[in-house]
Amino acid sequence: MTLDLPRRGLLMLLMAWGLTQGNPVKPSRGPLLTCTCESPHCRGPTCQGTWCTVVLVREEGRHPQEHRGCGNLNEELCRGRPTEFVNHYCCYSPLCNHNVSLVLEATQIPPEQPKVDGQLPLILGPVLAVVALVALGALGLWHVRRRQEKQRGLRSELGESSLILKSSEQGDSMLGDLLDSDCTTGSGSGLPFLVQRTVARQVALVECVGKGRYGEVWRGLWHGESVAVKIFSSRDEQSWFRETEIYNTVLLRHDNILGFIASDMTSRNSSTQLWLITHYHEHGSLYDFLQRQTLEPQLALKLAVSAACGLAHLHVEIFGTQGKPAIAHRDLKSRNVLVKSNLQCCIADLGLAVMHSQGSDYLDIGNNPRVGTKRYMAPEVLEEQIRTDCFESYKWTDIWAFGLVLWEIARRTIVNGIVEDYRPPFYDVVPNDPSFEDMKKVVCVDQQTPTIPNRLAADPVLSGLAQMMRECWYPNPSARLTALRIKKTLQKLSNGLEKSKVIH
């Protein structure tokens, strides 16, 4: 399933067509300003940054919302013109954003008809009513035709395709109208490359919602609707390329896999940026969600079942024209599982994924020097005894990591009024950023696994969840559960919980 060198070159050429390459611009190292901070991501009333910002955003069907905060990267946003959806303002003195108010670009309103005084309206009333009806009919017909022409133009501009995004949830207005899973790059989930580039150029960045070693995640707006933009750091270029390759060669449309929109290499302010544009989920990652939220058993199982459905879909090979190879994730953790608005999970970040097809018996490992997250590594990985030529070995490491994600969910589940604070796996035996050797000692030498909360044993349903974790952590990789077995068992536990609620 991998791309040969000529196809890789073509992919890079199409992504970069029309762009000017350059060195990444580093953020200013001057003194930081104190700015007013008013947004869902603020940790206090003020923040510190290279400049202060005010962003006014209007999403489809909502009133405009104003956010205040600090800026350190992407200063080119400060120079953008206001649109009817977003206005981005920057200033460069302490608290300069405190009393600033912005407006969006006004939409043109047709001038009102001048009022007519005297007896003339009584005489011309019936005539004007008929004229008005004719005018309204003509205006409606013109509006319908104009909309059809716009849609035809958009299809032409985007490669004669009405597909922009694949909406997996009800109620997506423009996204839902434009989505149709029939038009992709042949066998993949992605749009034609030039279409992806066109979509990427239409996205306006609004606010940074996450940072890490990989780069940053921004919330962006595309035609007034939110999308997520993952901007990769230059040192993680292989992860961007791998995700782009997988999404464009594999049919991965599934409710519990993060929805892909576009991938693009863009030049902004003389720096080259690698973008991956996906569906936006405002709850953020499961890691973030569990820190904010305690869980009733029903919600805990809903999160677990949906994540297991996503993993099972990755692991299974599907044959036929709408098929897909088997995929192992290799970096499964709560930070790479997102929580959707319907409180189901979807799996993200395929930068380390491995693909395998039984027909050709070809194992596509990719070419990424990055390794997975040490805290979630299985013992055979830490001991460097994993069979790298065997695809099943990679699936078994995913199962180990999935057991740790289940443990994170279980800690935050309320049983008999008792719940624990969020903690990452092995929090009590390794430091915050454990080394390879730290994890090897705990997992391989001491053969420790996370302590399962005792209160789960008191619940007939959640005790099954505890047993499942143990079966994910067998030292012998081949003895661990399969993703399909985990999915079916969790569904059975969830159904059992529903029935017990009905009885009570």
Side-chain angles (χ1 to χ4, degrees), residues 148-342:
Q148 289 174 343
E149 286 174 7
K150 270 190 175 181
Q151 289 178 346
R152 279 197 296 271
L154 184 61
R155 290 190 187 101
S156 175
E157 179 187 2
L158 299 182
E160 298 181 350
S161 167
S162 63
L163 167 66
I164 303 299
L165 310 165
K166 169 76 173 173
S167 173
S168 59
E169 297 178 19
Q170 298 293 324
D172 286 348
S173 54
M174 185 166 184
L175 303 186
D177 291 342
L178 292 174
L179 296 187
D180 183 340
S181 60
D182 292 337
C183 177
T184 66
T185 56
S187 62
S189 309
L191 304 165
F193 299 133
L194 295 181
V195 180
Q196 294 184 30
R197 200 188 73 183
T198 302
V199 172
R201 297 302 192 280
Q202 296 170 347
V203 171
L205 298 179
V206 176
E207 58 178 335
C208 181
V209 295
K211 293 182 182 180
R213 293 173 186 169
Y214 58 82
E216 299 178 338
V217 175
W218 284 69
R219 181 170 73 91
L221 283 181
W222 185 80
H223 290 271
E225 298 187 49
S226 289
V227 294
V229 182
K230 186 174 180 180
I231 304 176
F232 290 77
S233 64
S234 56
R235 66 183 176 185
D236 207 16
E237 176 181 344
Q238 284 298 326
S239 292
W240 170 83
F241 191 91
R242 184 61 169 172
E243 286 207 73
T244 297
E245 181 181 18
I246 288 176
Y247 274 122
N248 282 306
T249 58
V250 177
L251 191 63
L252 268 184
R253 297 293 181 192
H254 190 276
D255 279 346
N256 304 118
I257 306 292
L258 178 61
F260 172 70
I261 298 170
S263 181
D264 189 31
M265 181 186 295
T266 100
S267 183
R268 290 175 179 254
N269 201 23
S270 301
S271 69
T272 300
Q273 292 184 344
L274 306 172
W275 282 22
L276 191 80
I277 304 170
T278 65
H279 291 170
Y280 176 75
H281 300 297
E282 61 185 15
H283 288 308
S285 70
L286 180 62
Y287 172 83
D288 298 323
F289 186 76
L290 292 177
Q291 296 195 59
R292 297 189 305 263
Q293 190 87 26
T294 58
L295 312 175
E296 293 294 335
Q298 191 171 359
L299 175 55
L301 284 172
K302 182 176 184 177
L303 295 171
V305 168
S306 55
C309 288
L311 184 61
H313 182 71
L314 282 179
H315 280 192
V316 72
E317 180 173 1
I318 301 174
F319 299 94
T321 55
Q322 296 294 306
K324 60 171 277 294
I327 298 174
H329 191 281
R330 290 181 71 207
D331 194 18
L332 194 62
K333 56 183 178 179
S334 56
R335 289 180 188 268
N336 286 340
V337 177
L338 303 181
V339 180
K340 300 175 11 175
S341 58
N342 63 0

Side-chain angles (χ1 to χ4, degrees), residues 5 16 26 39 75 85 98 123 139 145 178 230 250 294 300 320 354 362 374 388 411 422 441 443 451 466:
L5 285 176
K26 295 182 179 179
S39 84
E75 191 175 5
F85 296 114
H98 185 66
I123 300 170
L139 184 63
R145 291 216 172 161
L178 292 174
K230 186 174 180 180
V250 177
T294 58
V354 170
Y362 180 67
K374 301 179 193 69
T388 55
R411 267 188 70 93
Y422 174 82
K441 180 183 184 304
V443 174
T451 303

Side-chain angles (χ1 to χ4, degrees), residues 24-46:
V25 174
K26 295 182 179 179
S28 169
R29 298 184 182 275
L32 297 179
L33 298 175
T34 298
C35 310
T36 298
C37 196
E38 297 174 357
S39 84
H41 304 284
C42 290
R43 297 181 180 177
T46 61

Side-chain angles (χ1 to χ4, degrees), residues 116 119-136:
V116 183
Q119 299 296 319
L120 196 56
L122 297 176
I123 300 170
L124 297 179
V127 177
L128 289 175
V130 172
V131 171
L133 287 172
V134 172
L136 285 172

